[in-house]
Amino acid sequence: MKGNKTTIDTLVVHAGREVDPSTGAVAPPLHLSTTFARGVDGELLGEHLYGRHGNPTRDRLETALAALEGAAAAAAFASGCAVAEALFTALRSGDRVIVSDDMYFGIRQLLRELGESFGVEVTALDLDDDAAVDRALAARPKLLLCESPTNPLLRVVDIAALAGRCHAQGTTLVVDNTLASPILQQPLTLGADFVMCSTTKFLSGHGDVLGGALLAADEAHPLWRRLAKLRKVTGASPSPFDCWLLLRSIATLSLRVHRQVDNAEALAAWLADQPGVEAVLYPGLASHPQHAIARRQMKRPGSMLSLLLAGGEAGARRFMARLELFTRATSLGSVHSLAEHRRAVEGPDSTTPDNLVRLSIGIEDLEDLRTDLARALEA
Ligand code: PLP
C-alpha cells in the first residue's frame, strides 16, 4: 500500500481497495468468474486458476483483513463456524484442544461433534483458573481456542499472559476476536498465533453477509501451511459477492464500532442502576471482574452487553416481549440493535443463566434505545 496508511482508521478505508490497474476503477471490481483462462500452451493468463482456490475480489478482502489484524496472512471462509471446522480438520487424531468454558454455543457444539469424529480430545476450562490452565497445558495440547470478550458472559481473558503460558508448552493460541473486532483489539499484537472471527458480525455490520476469517501471525506456522492446503481441497469458500460486500462494509467499520461503543457505554452505566436489572455484564463497567485487563488490552470495551434480569426466566421473557426498537433476533455487531434470550436459543444443553438477555447495541439514537429499554423494564 502506498503512502502513510498505517493507522486502523485509514486502513479500513484503503486496505485491499487499491485502484484497479487495468481499468482505473476506484471501487473494487466484483469478479464472479469461477474459472480463469489459460493460453495455448496451457499457461494461466493471470494469477488465478479456479474460484475455490482464490479469486481477485477475495484476494482484496484477505489483504484488508490481514492489514486490520496486523497479520502475515488471512484466509476468508464462508462463515465463522467454517473457520472453526477448518482449524479442527487440520488437527490429527490424538491431538488435544483446550477451549474456554464460555464461548459461542454453536462452536462448542461443533467441536464436540468433530472431536468425536476425529479422535481429538476437547477440554473446556475456566481460563481465569490459572492452576487448572497450567495443569491442562502440561499435557501439551495442540491448540487453545478462546474468545475475549466471551459470548455470552462477556468475560475477558488476559491474552498476552495466556500466550506466554501456551508458548511455554508449545501450544498454539487461537483467539476468536469476533466480539471486539480489530478496531478494539488486535490479539496477534498481544502474542496470539492465530485470530479467527465471524465476519458475519461487526465486519459485515449490516446483517447481510455470512462469513469468517482466519488470520495468522506467521505464514510458516505448520498449522497455517496445512490449513492453506486443506482450504483448496475443501469447500468453505465465501462467494465473491459476499467478499465484495464485506470490503464495502469494512470501510465504515471504525465509524460504526465507535458509535456502537458510545451507545453501549452509556446504556451499560444506566442499566446498572435500574431496579429491574440484577447485573450488567459489560467489560467497561468498573464492577466487571476483568475490567482492568479489558482496559489494558482493548481500546474500548465493545458494544455487547448481557443483562441478568430480576424475576428469573419469566422476567427475562417479559423484558424481551416488551421491546419495540430492539429486534428480537440472534447474531450481533450490526447497525441495528438486537436482543436475545440466549438460553432459549441454545436449548437444553445450555449453561447460560435463564434470566440472561444479550444485547447487541447498534448505531441508533441513544435516547431512543434508552426509552425502549426503560419501557421493557417497567414494573
Ligand atoms: N464466533 C463467535 C464469537 C460467534 O458469536 C459466532 C456466531 O455467533 C461465531 C464465531 C460463528 O460465526 P458464524 O455464525 O459466522 O458461523
Side-chain angles (χ1 to χ4, degrees):
M1 189 186 299
K2 290 196 203 115
N4 180 26
K5 295 170 184 163
T6 50
T7 65
I8 194 139
D9 287 355
T10 302
L11 285 173
V12 290
V13 179
H14 289 276
R17 300 178 63 98
E18 281 76 15
V19 169
D20 179 37
S22 57
T23 61
V26 172
L30 168 56
H31 292 277
L32 294 170
S33 187
T34 53
T35 191
F36 297 86
R38 294 176 186 269
V40 287
D41 295 324
E43 77 287 4
L44 286 166
L45 299 185
E47 287 171 20
H48 295 89
L49 184 156
Y50 185 57
R52 180 160 27 80
H53 301 193
N55 158 294
T57 309
R58 188 171 102 188
D59 289 354
R60 283 176 174 266
L61 172 63
E62 290 175 345
T63 300
L65 293 170
L68 299 190
E69 290 281 4
F77 285 83
S79 71
C81 282
V83 180
E85 181 191 12
L87 268 171
F88 227 74
T89 46
L91 298 176
R92 312 261 182 200
S93 170
D95 283 345
R96 292 194 176 91
V97 174
I98 301 179
V99 295
S100 163
D101 62 359
D102 186 43
M103 69 188 302
Y104 168 56
F105 188 75
I107 292 191
R108 187 155 13 122
Q109 273 184 324
L110 178 148
L111 297 184
R112 196 170 50 220
E113 296 292 329
L114 291 187
E116 277 175 26
S117 311
F118 292 153
V120 172
E121 187 186 305
V122 182
T123 307
L125 287 183
D126 174 359
L127 297 183
D128 250 0
D129 183 344
D130 290 348
V133 172
D134 285 342
R135 268 197 308 278
L137 284 173
R140 302 180 74 82
K142 200 77 176 178
L143 277 191
L144 191 153
L145 168 63
C146 67
E147 300 167 5
S148 190
T150 61
N151 179 7
L153 297 181
L154 283 311
R155 289 203 214 135
V156 171
V157 173
D158 184 336
I159 297 171
L162 193 59
R165 304 163 97 135
C166 285
H167 295 159
Q169 299 294 350
T171 299
T172 296
L173 176 63
V174 184
V175 176
D176 185 332
N177 204 29
T178 300
L179 265 66
S181 91
I183 300 299
L184 304 180
Q185 174 175 277
Q186 292 169 315
L188 299 181
T189 65
L190 297 166
D193 302 288
F194 291 91
V195 160
M196 64 164 281
C197 82
S198 166
T199 55
T200 312
K201 316 299 183 193
F202 288 94
L203 279 94
S204 152
H206 296 76
D208 53 12
V209 176
L210 202 62
L214 186 69
L215 298 304
D218 178 6
E219 276 181 287
H221 193 296
L223 194 61
W224 179 261
R225 293 226 219 101
R226 184 158 160 76
L227 265 157
K229 220 188 276 174
L230 283 173
R231 195 167 67 128
K232 281 191 176 174
V233 296
T234 53
S237 317
S239 81
F241 185 53
D242 283 349
C243 294
W244 185 88
L245 277 173
L246 274 171
L247 263 176
R248 183 182 167 121
S249 293
I250 285 170
T252 56
L253 179 66
S254 183
L255 287 176
R256 286 185 279 110
V257 166
H258 283 294
R259 165 74 178 209
Q260 287 172 273
V261 182
D262 289 345
N263 281 345
E265 283 178 332
L267 292 173
W270 174 78
L271 282 161
D273 285 338
Q274 300 311 302
V277 178
E278 279 179 2
V280 180
L281 312 183
Y282 181 62
L285 293 176
S287 57
H288 187 282
Q290 295 103 25
H291 177 62
I293 302 171
R295 280 185 67 121
R296 204 164 59 232
Q297 72 185 14
M298 298 179 75
K299 259 192 222 142
R300 300 185 70 193
S303 54
M304 295 298 299
L305 47 104
S306 288
L307 307 180
L308 300 180
L309 289 144
E313 180 170 357
R317 287 186 181 269
R318 193 183 54 214
F319 172 84
M320 288 291 293
R322 288 177 172 181
L323 291 169
E324 290 179 12
L325 184 55
F326 278 75
T327 304
R328 285 175 291 276
T330 196
S331 205
L332 57 103
S334 273
V335 289
H336 345 81
S337 293
L338 303 177
E340 185 175 40
H341 183 237
R342 279 303 293 167
R343 193 171 172 118
V345 175
E346 293 176 355
D349 285 351
S350 173
T351 51
T352 301
D354 59 9
N355 63 338
L356 182 144
V357 168
R358 190 187 71 188
L359 299 179
S360 171
I361 306 297
I363 64 168
E364 299 94 332
D365 176 75
L366 172 61
E367 291 317 317
D368 290 341
L369 293 173
R370 198 195 314 260
T371 303
D372 198 36
L373 294 170
R375 184 176 38 233
L377 284 169
E378 268 168 25

